[in-house]
Amino acid sequence: MKAGFLGLGVMGTPMALNLARAGTPLVVWNRTPAKAAVLAAAGAEVADSAAEVCGRVDVVFLMLADGAAVDAVLGRGTNEFAANVAGRIVVHMGTTSPEYSRALGADVSAAGGRYVEAPVSGSRKPAEAGQLVAMLAGEPSAVAAVRPLLRPMCHQVVECGPAPGALLMKLAVNLYLITMVTGLAEAVHFAERQGLDLARFVEVLDAGPMASSVSRIKAAKLLAGDFTVQASIADVLKNNQLIAEAARSARLASPLLDVCHALYGETLDLGHGAEDMAAVVRAIEQRTDAA
């Protein structure tokens, strides 16, 4: 099957590169054409428009910022939408609300296409290494067709039933990620302000049962003050909002998430929106200094 990939951002570029390097016939497009150069060097074909990609492929992967970007790229709400999706499998890999995904899937189906959710767990480094975890949901035959195409990007694929099951699963996973990284940032802040040797703090953390690939990566960033983006403050705040909305609609309490929501908002207001989520420590520092 020939695949298309729309959206070559922090996550989309390494994901599409892994597809191309694995020999997947691939056509790509991005709003900023220069971002496609690295894909062309890896053997992908570069299209002049999203509509051209859709017209040349069997499966269209979308790794876009939000629902508005998906709608714009697919021409949803216009006469071009049916031409772009009819006879194709549309694979939504970004993170949007479950309600948005359900509605998009219904529109794709009504226009003669098939729809699959495939949000991924992992940030830029796992994306580069092809070590993402995909959550897959949709009509079974479409899921079966898409699953083999995910292998170059993901080391594991977990099926989550019909849509929007995959996006709900992604929100649950992200809730844990957000609270975990925020807790780590607060612990590093506590250790530093108590005058502890931070290298020894990390040594203890790494040697114990709480260590993980996430804790190791984020602890190293916190110690070095290196907030080069893997998952940005702005993106995490957006995800936090999506989880909060899903919790409210289901009448669920989310006390830890609510505290994190406030902290990431404060970090954004401090001017760190484009930095890695570990920069949430800046909001914690400000609270301490203002006390």
Side-chain angles (χ1 to χ4, degrees), residues 93-214:
M93 301 193 78
T95 305
T96 59
S97 73
E99 291 78 11
Y100 170 83
S101 181
R102 185 185 286 112
L104 175 62
D107 286 351
V108 169
S109 179
R114 292 187 289 169
Y115 180 72
V116 171
E117 291 177 343
V120 294
S121 179
S123 56
R124 180 173 57 85
K125 290 292 186 184
E128 290 171 348
Q131 292 294 302
L132 297 168
V133 177
M135 291 144 279
L136 199 55
E139 186 271 320
S141 67
V143 166
V146 168
R147 185 170 184 139
L149 294 172
L150 298 176
R151 288 178 189 143
M153 298 182 281
C154 306
H155 78 97
Q156 189 164 344
V157 176
V158 179
E159 294 189 19
C160 301
L167 270 165
L168 284 168
M169 187 70 74
K170 172 67 185 293
L171 295 184
V173 169
N174 277 3
L175 194 161
Y176 178 55
L177 172 67
I178 290 167
T179 55
M180 177 175 62
V181 173
T182 307
L184 175 63
E186 185 172 324
V188 169
H189 174 68
F190 176 88
E192 180 181 29
R193 294 299 176 100
Q194 293 286 0
L196 299 180
D197 183 322
L198 292 185
R200 290 185 179 181
F201 167 78
V202 172
E203 182 181 356
V204 173
L205 183 64
D206 286 350
M210 295 174 290
S212 68
S213 59
V214 172

Side-chain angles (χ1 to χ4, degrees), residues 215-237:
S215 73
R216 292 187 177 98
I217 291 169
K218 299 306 184 188
K221 294 180 82 65
L222 286 160
L223 264 63
D226 170 21
F227 300 127
T228 305
V229 69
Q230 294 173 329
S232 75
I233 290 289
D235 284 342
V236 172
L237 184 60

Side-chain angles (χ1 to χ4, degrees), residues 248-283:
R248 300 296 172 268
S249 67
R251 299 178 180 270
L252 302 176
S254 55
L256 294 179
L257 182 74
D258 295 342
V259 172
C260 293
H261 195 181
L263 286 168
Y264 282 92
E266 291 166 26
T267 310
L268 183 74
D269 291 343
L270 288 169
H272 302 289
E275 296 178 5
D276 187 74
M277 67 185 297
V280 71
V281 73
R282 298 307 190 205

